[in-house]
Amino acid sequence: MDSWQNPNEDSRGVDISQIRSQLRMSVEERVSHMVVVANTFRKIRESVQIVDRPIVR
């Protein structure tokens, strides 16, 4: 590990603590968590598309 590398990340930059916390979840909890994450990303993408649309006059 390089001295500047975040100790919570592996060499690819993946947050190891997030992986560990998800592995402690049951399958049902993990699926529920991923649904929340997916819906959040969907809402972000929808709001960006609204902002990026040209103004029609």
Side-chain angles (χ1 to χ4, degrees):
M1 179 183 333
D2 294 332
S3 60
W4 56 268
Q5 185 178 2
N6 183 339
N8 296 323
E9 295 179 352
D10 69 6
S11 61
R12 299 166 296 169
V14 175
D15 186 340
I16 297 168
S17 63
Q18 271 192 346
I19 293 173
R20 287 183 179 142
S21 67
Q22 287 183 5
L23 288 173
R24 285 191 295 270
M25 294 179 188
S26 68
V27 173
E28 293 81 9
E29 290 170 325
R30 218 173 306 149
V31 169
S32 178
H33 174 72
M34 292 310 298
V35 166
V36 169
V37 170
N39 285 335
T40 301
F41 277 116
R42 182 181 52 78
K43 289 176 185 175
I44 291 169
R45 287 179 57 105
E46 288 172 356
S47 68
V48 168
Q49 288 174 357
I50 290 169
V51 171
D52 286 343
R53 291 186 185 142
I55 298 172
V56 178
R57 293 180 189 218

